[in-house]
Amino acid sequence: MDADRLFKHFFSHMTSEEKESTESIDTFVNNYMLNNIKIVESGPNKGRLQAGLVWRESHPPLPTNLSLAKKWLINTVSKLQKMNLYQQYDEEIKRQVDENVVDCLGPLKFENSCAGHHFLPHFAVVRENHQTTKLRIVFAANAGRISLYDCLYP
């Protein structure tokens, strides 16, 4: 899909109020790119483009969902241990932390920074019949009464 069609599709999902508050597609795109897209300058992702999330102007506030994320984590760990896949999942999480795909909060930082934060519950998808990726991590941005999907443009 070329850039013009992509942005027309993007704007087709906006409410009329959101469209009126946006001067033009070109202005929006230029501002978005200047403020949200950067080239990673170091580490394993050096040279890659990194983009911020595109938030709806008037989105509902994301609730602190720590208890939901904890429940998902407990269930995920329990299932992985029964399947003898916990070590593989842990290694994949560590790889994602090393590559700055996800952030890891240490115990002290975690206890001091939970208030007002929204966490992405995650779970494993196991595909025994696949040659390459038998286990992958899926982040559930749609979990909860108000989800991340409710706050972002499609």
Side-chain angles (χ1 to χ4, degrees):
M1 185 179 288
D2 67 5
D4 287 337
R5 284 184 33 216
L6 177 66
F7 288 111
K8 285 178 184 171
H9 173 76
F10 175 77
F11 276 87
S12 71
H13 295 340
M14 295 176 77
T15 65
S16 58
E17 180 182 279
E18 290 167 331
K19 285 179 185 175
E20 288 173 14
S21 69
T22 305
E23 292 177 16
S24 72
I25 291 175
D26 290 339
T27 302
F28 176 81
V29 170
N30 287 335
N31 287 337
Y32 177 79
M33 291 180 78
L34 287 172
N35 295 318
N36 294 295
I37 297 177
K38 65 179 184 177
I39 297 174
V40 179
E41 295 183 11
S42 63
N45 295 321
K46 183 177 181 178
R48 290 187 183 175
L49 291 178
Q50 184 176 42
L53 300 173
V54 185
W55 295 87
R56 290 186 182 273
E57 233 175 78
S58 53
H59 65 80
L62 277 172
T64 299
N65 65 339
L66 180 60
S67 61
L68 175 69
K70 278 184 178 180
K71 286 178 189 175
W72 279 56
L73 181 60
I74 290 167
N75 288 334
T76 298
V77 168
S78 176
K79 288 176 186 175
L80 290 167
Q81 287 173 333
K82 288 176 187 172
M83 298 166 59
N84 291 325
L85 292 171
Y86 176 79
Q87 184 65 36
Q88 187 178 349
Y89 194 84
D90 185 56
E91 288 170 8
E92 178 61 17
I93 290 283
K94 287 177 181 173
R95 184 190 64 76
Q96 290 186 8
V97 169
D98 290 344
E99 293 180 4
N100 295 315
V101 174
V102 297
D103 288 329
C104 180
L105 297 176
L108 290 176
K109 189 175 179 184
F110 179 78
E111 289 176 15
N112 295 328
S113 65
C114 288
H117 282 77
H118 187 80
F119 298 89
L120 284 179
H122 50 88
F123 60 95
V125 172
V126 179
R127 303 176 305 179
E128 294 288 338
N129 57 342
H130 280 74
Q131 292 291 331
T132 54
T133 310
K134 294 188 184 296
L135 180 141
R136 67 183 172 92
I137 297 171
V138 175
F139 292 92
N142 62 343
R145 282 184 298 119
I146 297 174
S147 74
L148 189 57
Y149 289 143
D150 297 323
C151 301
L152 300 174
Y153 286 108

